Amino acid sequence: SAVISQKPSRDICQRGTSLTIQCQVDSQVTMMFWYRQQPGQSLTLIATANQGSEATYESGFVIDKFPISRPNLTFSTLTVSNMSPEDSSIYLCSVEILSNTGELFFGEGSRLTVL
Amino acid sequence: GDSVTQMEGPVTLSEEAFLTINCTYTATGYPSLFWYVQYPGEGLQLLLKATKADDKGSNKGFEATYRKETTSFHLEKGSVQVSDSAVYFCALSDRFYTGANSKLTFGKGITLSVRP
């Protein structure tokens, strides 16, 4: 398994500002992902964080809005830019460790409220 | 594309009742299947998994069997407890048959409340 630490755990933000969420894993992982969970909804994949290169974004998500970095195997950041109330969500970092089943481990999430 | 369909919720049961949460999937190959649980105020945790047809995943008294013929992965527990109150997500991973990076596709989730 893996222990995943996300910061901040929650924040209240003003419209138009940007916030960066950090994800630190206690062991080397093969893959890192960022998910969004909107209120009362399921999880939606935002992007795959690639080490040392640009993230791979899912349909509907763009780099200008959600820039992602992954400078090494155990750390990644997600920035939510120019926030609006529609960005109020829980943002989750998830990782895949070396396995053959495809299961992911999740951080506790960062709950953002945009006023 | 891949998709996961869960039964509509929420579900409210009395303690010691039998639980079934339905999950069906659509996929072009042979995905791995998972149940994740999210307890109040906590992050998502893997509850159980199955990686091939007829596999049965089990954990904490919960079970689910990978049924390829009905493309289902229903979650069951014989006697629920108040501590089982949580949101349950069914998910699939397409890793092996796409050759691409692991991606989890989630169902909408269902909230289970267990009354004492």
Side-chain angles (χ1 to χ4, degrees):
Chain A
S1 65
V3 176
I4 305 167
S5 301
Q6 268 188 249
K7 290 192 293 188
S9 58
R10 59 179 62 230
D11 207 340
I12 298 174
C13 309
Q14 296 299 317
R15 182 193 299 260
T17 63
S18 300
L19 183 79
T20 296
I21 302 167
Q22 298 181 358
C23 176
Q24 178 73 55
V25 189
D26 70 340
S27 56
Q28 291 191 350
V29 299
T30 53
M31 304 294 297
M32 293 183 79
F33 304 91
W34 287 97
Y35 281 83
R36 180 175 72 181
Q37 186 180 18
Q38 293 177 299
Q41 301 297 314
S42 186
L43 284 77
T44 303
L45 179 63
I46 297 171
T48 303
N50 300 310
Q51 184 194 358
S53 64
E54 191 172 291
T56 304
Y57 290 85
E58 297 299 302
S59 176
F61 297 96
V62 295
I63 187 171
D64 290 346
K65 177 66 175 177
F66 298 102
I68 289 171
S69 77
R70 188 180 173 193
N72 57 52
L73 284 174
T74 62
F75 183 79
S76 177
T77 66
L78 167 73
T79 299
V80 186
S81 303
N82 188 25
M83 286 186 283
S84 66
E86 292 72 34
D87 295 318
S88 297
S89 293
I90 300 173
Y91 293 86
L92 297 114
C93 173
S94 70
V95 303
E96 181 195 51
I97 61 175
L98 190 61
S99 73
N100 60 357
T101 61
E103 71 183 84
L104 298 184
F105 296 89
F106 286 82
E108 293 192 356
S110 300
R111 182 184 295 272
L112 301 188
T113 302
V114 184
L115 303 178
Chain B
D2 297 342
S3 66
V4 175
T5 302
Q6 290 185 233
M7 59 184 279
E8 295 289 325
V11 173
T12 302
L13 296 174
S14 297
E15 203 164 27
E16 299 183 2
F18 184 84
L19 169 71
T20 299
I21 301 177
N22 290 340
C23 171
T24 58
Y25 67 89
T26 301
T28 54
Y30 303 97
S32 294
L33 301 174
F34 307 89
W35 277 100
Y36 281 83
V37 59
Q38 188 173 34
Y39 297 104
E42 298 185 15
L44 218 60
Q45 303 173 25
L46 179 66
L47 179 61
L48 54 83
K49 65 186 179 188
T51 59
K52 61 183 187 295
D54 300 324
D55 266 3
K56 177 184 286 188
S58 61
N59 186 26
K60 300 182 180 180
F62 290 90
E63 292 182 340
T65 301
Y66 189 141
R67 301 286 188 198
K68 179 171 175 292
E69 63 276 13
T70 55
T71 62
S72 64
F73 192 55
H74 304 322
L75 183 68
E76 296 183 336
K77 186 174 186 181
S79 175
V80 294
Q81 306 300 312
V82 172
S83 57
D84 294 326
S85 298
V87 181
Y88 292 82
F89 294 92
C90 186
L92 70 81
S93 171
D94 63 2
R95 176 189 177 111
F96 294 106
Y97 64 86
T98 65
N101 299 328
S102 289
K103 293 181 184 179
L104 276 184
T105 300
F106 285 88
K108 290 187 175 181
I110 186 169
T111 299
L112 170 66
S113 299
V114 181
R115 300 179 299 217

